[in-house]
Amino acid sequence: MHQVRFRDPAGSVRRGEWHDDVDETHRISFGGETYAVDEVDVLPPAEPTKIVCVGRNYAKHAAERNEDVPDRPLLFLKPPNALAAHGDTVTLPAGKERVEWEAELAVVVGEQCRNVTEDEAMDYVAGVTCMNDISNRDDQAREQNWVRGKAFDNSAPLGPVLATPDEVPDDASVELRVNGETKQSSSIDAFIFSIPELIAEITEYVTLEPGDVISTGTPEGVGPLSDGDRVEVEVEGVGVLEHDVRVP
């Protein structure tokens, strides 16, 4: 089942089921009611206290950035203000030369956890979704903690749904399209560090709370966003996250 978090026409926040129809339209059901997606506001599928992101988890992405493959997961944080939802228009920081897309598979935590082993890691996963780790390269190149580069408002579009882990193949494809043109296309079997390895490493240092997000890294093919772009992030077994881009 694909779970969706949404605000219904009366303004109530609900968790319902997302349905894909044969004519490529989408419906959302909850409590005996069914809505077209454009009748409601689709919300991010999680309400994290933090988003833990992983850098250079694909060797080909490290190569395109002219950087080494890390010997342990490269971790950084995005705060909750970075969230954006399916269908949103994301406003990029003003006056920047290069703000880039990064398609990623994101894991949502189901239970509070600390010091988790790799063997038990998936027991703490509530589900999987899509994320775009939008990155302000101008400032990322100038700072070490990447607050300006990674943590700006709406820099983490997330959604549209939460899929259970069994719905996502071990070699799930990760793709990104801009204005209908494929820019990134890879598979999670190219990960340097697997999801259980990431959870074990992160929880050695950080307590994860229900709803926290782990974004697992982007494949090669990152590139600059422009005003008016329409972005689609697709993870096999999850669906397609869509958002627009505005440059002030």
Side-chain angles (χ1 to χ4, degrees):
M1 183 185 79
H2 286 180
Q3 185 185 86
V4 58
R5 188 168 158 266
F6 69 100
R7 183 177 292 107
D8 70 16
S12 299
V13 175
R14 307 293 193 186
R15 290 186 183 271
E17 185 174 355
W18 179 283
H19 305 272
D20 293 315
D21 291 337
V22 292
D23 60 357
E24 297 186 356
T25 60
H26 308 293
R27 295 174 295 112
I28 293 171
S29 63
F30 171 80
E33 298 286 340
T34 300
Y35 308 94
V37 170
D38 59 6
E39 292 181 297
V40 303
D41 295 322
V42 177
L43 303 174
E47 298 178 272
T49 67
K50 54 192 166 294
I51 303 168
V52 184
C53 299
V54 181
R56 305 204 301 262
N57 200 25
Y58 290 79
K60 289 184 179 179
H61 174 57
E64 74 176 351
R65 299 278 298 160
N66 296 313
E67 295 174 327
D68 294 332
V69 171
D71 59 3
R72 65 175 185 171
L74 174 61
L75 305 177
F76 60 94
L77 295 174
K78 288 193 178 216
N81 65 282
L83 284 177
H86 176 78
D88 281 357
T89 296
V90 174
T91 300
L92 304 184
K96 305 302 177 184
E97 292 186 3
R98 196 170 184 90
V99 181
E100 295 189 334
W101 62 72
E102 290 193 5
E104 308 199 2
L105 178 150
V107 172
V108 177
V109 175
E111 299 179 40
Q112 185 185 68
C113 56
R114 179 81 155 87
N115 290 320
V116 174
T117 67
E118 291 180 27
D119 288 343
E120 64 185 354
M122 296 305 295
D123 295 340
Y124 293 92
V125 173
V128 177
T129 191
C130 308
M131 191 173 118
N132 188 4
D133 173 18
I134 301 176
S135 301
N136 163 19
R137 302 298 190 202
D138 292 25
D139 289 305
Q140 185 180 358
R142 297 178 57 192
E143 61 185 6
Q144 292 184 332
N145 57 19
W146 295 356
V147 172
R148 297 173 186 84
K150 291 283 194 175
F152 56 92
D153 286 353
N154 305 131
S155 61
L158 190 75
V161 301
L162 192 65
T164 56
D166 62 284
E167 295 177 289
V168 179
D170 293 339
D171 61 348
S173 60
V174 177
E175 295 190 353
L176 180 139
R177 297 179 290 275
V178 179
N179 304 322
E181 181 180 352
T182 300
K183 299 293 188 179
Q184 291 182 284
S185 182
S186 188
S187 167
I188 64 171
D189 62 3
F191 279 168
I192 297 168
F193 302 103
S194 68
I195 292 171
E197 288 175 311
L198 293 175
I199 293 172
E201 176 71 16
I202 292 164
T203 60
E204 184 177 346
Y205 297 91
V206 177
T207 300
L208 294 176
E209 303 292 345
D212 282 353
V213 172
I214 300 170
S215 201
T216 56
T218 196
E220 72 279 6
V222 300
L225 292 162
S226 300
D227 188 50
D229 279 347
R230 179 72 166 177
V231 179
E232 299 170 282
V233 177
E234 182 169 6
V235 173
E236 184 180 359
V238 177
V240 182
L241 165 69
E242 301 177 8
H243 71 83
D244 294 326
V245 174
R246 173 180 174 268
V247 179

